[in-house]
Every structure is written in C-alpha cells, then in structure tokens.
C-alpha cells in the first residue's frame, strides 16, 4: 500500500506556456500533499503544502501565482506552472501524507524542461 | 532551530561489506525521524522511521537505523551492501508543524 502516482513523468514545453502536473494517492486518502522541487544532486526544496478543500500554503520565496496548486479531492493534487521559463526547468516531486502513519509517500517525479 | 545534518556527501563501500550512512538532528521535543532512498530520476522511497519504542528500527531492503538520543543521531545501516543499494539517501525529521526537514542527502556507491 501507500502508492503515489505522478503524471506526466516528463514534459518539454516552450517558454511562456503553462504546464499541469498531477499527483494522485492511489490506495489511500490524503488530506495533505506536498510539492517539492529538486535540483541536480541537491536536496529537496519544499515549495508548498497542498490542503484538500482549502488554499495551499506556500514556502517563503515561492510565487503562488506562478505555481498554482489545487487539491480538489482526497486523492488528487495538481501543480500548474504558469508562464513557464527556462529557470523553471527542474525535477518536481509530490508526496502525500498518510495520516494513519504520519508518513509521506512520494510520487516518481516529473522532469520539466522549458525551452 | 530544527535541522538535519548528513555529514557525508558521498559514501563508498565494497559489495558485501557493512554500510553506514550518518544522520544527526536537532529538534525540540521527541523526534520523528525518517530515511528515504532515491534512485536516479525517481521519486523518494520510504525506508524506515522512528517514532518511539525500540531504538533499533528495521526497514525495507534489509536496512536498519539506530536512534541514539544522547548523540542526537539516527544512522542508517545495512550488514551487507549490494551494488543495487547505490543511490541517494535522505534523512529527515518531522518539524513541529508536521513538515519534514531534510538533510542534503548522501550518495552511496557500492562497488562490486
């Protein structure tokens, strides 16, 4: 149990376009999901906490209008990178917290490349 | 301040030898500690956690970790390393607001 999927796994887009990434908890419900960004060979940077039915909580320095988060159900959170630019190219990883075990389970990640 | 330190950027071990990946933490109150592993271009996989109870925690793939309160450490160990254990390992501690505070990661290379 505790499987989290993420789609797409890889996306290439042109500068100025928007990209949506989906994160799903497949076998448990998640009131809280998290979105991270990871640079090559670097640790995880928490971008925001996604709360089902309410607004996301963004970490300091993360632009909420650029990284739109929607957590419309207990199994789905989406991250939309709006007006993407090359500096947004990165590996984005989501996680879902399983409340019964207070443990985060991670999706496989999305490699975003903005040309 | 709450923090996690992984003092080794890289660890190299020979296949079949025991391995240790170090982690120390600083947090107020009782710590919830986690280890995750990340294979190239993949998300993180949960290995094990410590919340309370026995100081030696057993996890996935033969890994275990020892909680040492006096040394504020939670080192990851495995008695006999496999080449397939080569990956990036992250230690994390749960903060007071239930977010995870991450170490910078340790790259483990197991040589055949």
């Amino acid at each position: 149990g505790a499987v989290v999927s993420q789609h797409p796994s890889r996306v290439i887009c042109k500068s100025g376009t928007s990209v949506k990434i989906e994160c799903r908890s497949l076998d448990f419900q998640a009131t809280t999901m998290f979105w991270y960004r990871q640079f090559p060979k670097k640790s995880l940077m928490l971008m925001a906490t996604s709360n089902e039915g309410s607004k996301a909580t963004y970490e300091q320095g993360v632009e909420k209008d650029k990284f739109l988060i929607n957590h419309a159900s207990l199994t789905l959170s989406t991250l939309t990178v709006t007006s993407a630019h090359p500096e947004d190219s990165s590996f984005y990883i989501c996680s879902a917290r399983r409340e019964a075990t207070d443990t985060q389970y991670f999706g496989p990640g999305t490699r975003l490349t903005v040309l | 301040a709450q923090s996690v330190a992984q003092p080794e950027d890289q660890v190299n071990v020979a296949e079949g030898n025991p391995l240790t990946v170090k982690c120390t933490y600083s947090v107020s109150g009782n710590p919830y500690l986690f280890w995750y592993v990340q294979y190239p271009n993949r998300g993180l996989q949960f290995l094990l956690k410590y919340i309370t109870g026995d100081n030696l925690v057993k996890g996935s793939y033969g890994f275990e970790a020892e909680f040492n309160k006096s040394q504020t450490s939670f080192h990851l160990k495995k008695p006999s390393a496999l080449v397939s254990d080569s990956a990036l390992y992250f230690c994390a501690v749960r903060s007071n607001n239930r977010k995870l505070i991450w170490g910078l990661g340790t790259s483990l290379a197991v040589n055949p």
Side-chain angles (χ1 to χ4, degrees):
Chain A
V3 180
V4 177
S5 70
Q6 203 171 325
H7 178 81
S9 58
R10 183 181 295 268
V11 58
I12 301 172
C13 69
K14 293 181 179 180
S15 186
T17 61
S18 295
V19 174
K20 180 185 283 188
I21 303 170
E22 292 187 349
C23 179
R24 294 180 185 272
S25 56
L26 298 184
D27 53 0
F28 67 100
Q29 294 183 328
T31 304
T32 305
M33 292 184 175
F34 301 88
W35 287 96
Y36 294 87
R37 184 171 176 176
Q38 185 179 33
F39 296 94
K41 297 184 179 180
K42 292 292 185 182
S43 188
L44 302 171
M45 183 192 83
L46 178 64
M47 299 174 65
T49 303
S50 172
N51 305 296
E52 188 270 335
S54 64
K55 291 183 179 180
T57 305
Y58 290 81
E59 296 299 304
Q60 190 172 5
V62 178
E63 300 176 57
K64 63 179 181 180
D65 294 330
K66 181 167 184 63
F67 298 99
L68 299 178
I69 291 172
N70 187 299
H71 194 153
S73 78
L74 287 171
T75 58
L76 173 64
S77 175
T78 61
L79 168 69
T80 301
V81 183
T82 62
S83 186
H85 290 284
E87 58 265 29
D88 299 323
S89 298
S90 192
F91 194 55
Y92 293 88
I93 313 176
C94 73
S95 72
R97 184 167 65 206
R98 190 171 195 172
E99 295 299 330
T101 58
D102 201 7
T103 299
Q104 290 185 33
Y105 294 93
F106 285 78
T110 297
R111 173 74 59 192
L112 171 63
T113 303
V114 184
L115 303 176
Chain B
Q2 300 169 95
S3 64
V4 173
Q6 292 181 242
E8 301 154 317
D9 188 52
Q10 172 124 10
V11 171
N12 295 294
V13 298
E15 186 175 30
N17 283 1
L19 70 86
T20 298
V21 182
K22 295 180 180 177
C23 173
T24 59
Y25 66 90
S26 174
V27 67
S28 58
N30 295 320
Y32 283 27
L33 295 155
F34 300 80
W35 274 103
Y36 287 83
V37 60
Q38 184 180 30
Y39 297 98
N41 297 310
R42 301 291 296 171
L44 278 68
Q45 294 180 31
F46 170 72
L47 278 179
L48 50 81
K49 68 181 179 184
Y50 171 83
I51 295 178
T52 187
D54 194 348
N55 288 345
L56 185 64
V57 180
K58 293 188 182 296
S60 306
Y61 312 121
F63 284 93
E64 58 189 27
E66 185 167 11
F67 171 65
N68 188 315
K69 188 173 183 177
S70 63
Q71 297 184 7
T72 61
S73 67
F74 190 56
H75 300 332
L76 181 70
K77 299 180 180 182
K78 187 172 182 180
S80 179
L82 300 173
V83 172
S84 57
D85 292 329
S86 299
L88 191 55
Y89 290 80
F90 289 102
C91 180
V93 65
R94 195 192 76 167
S95 66
N96 295 336
N97 61 9
R98 300 183 70 195
K99 297 176 186 177
L100 289 180
I101 299 170
W102 296 90
L104 294 180
T106 298
S107 180
L108 172 67
V110 181
N111 306 307

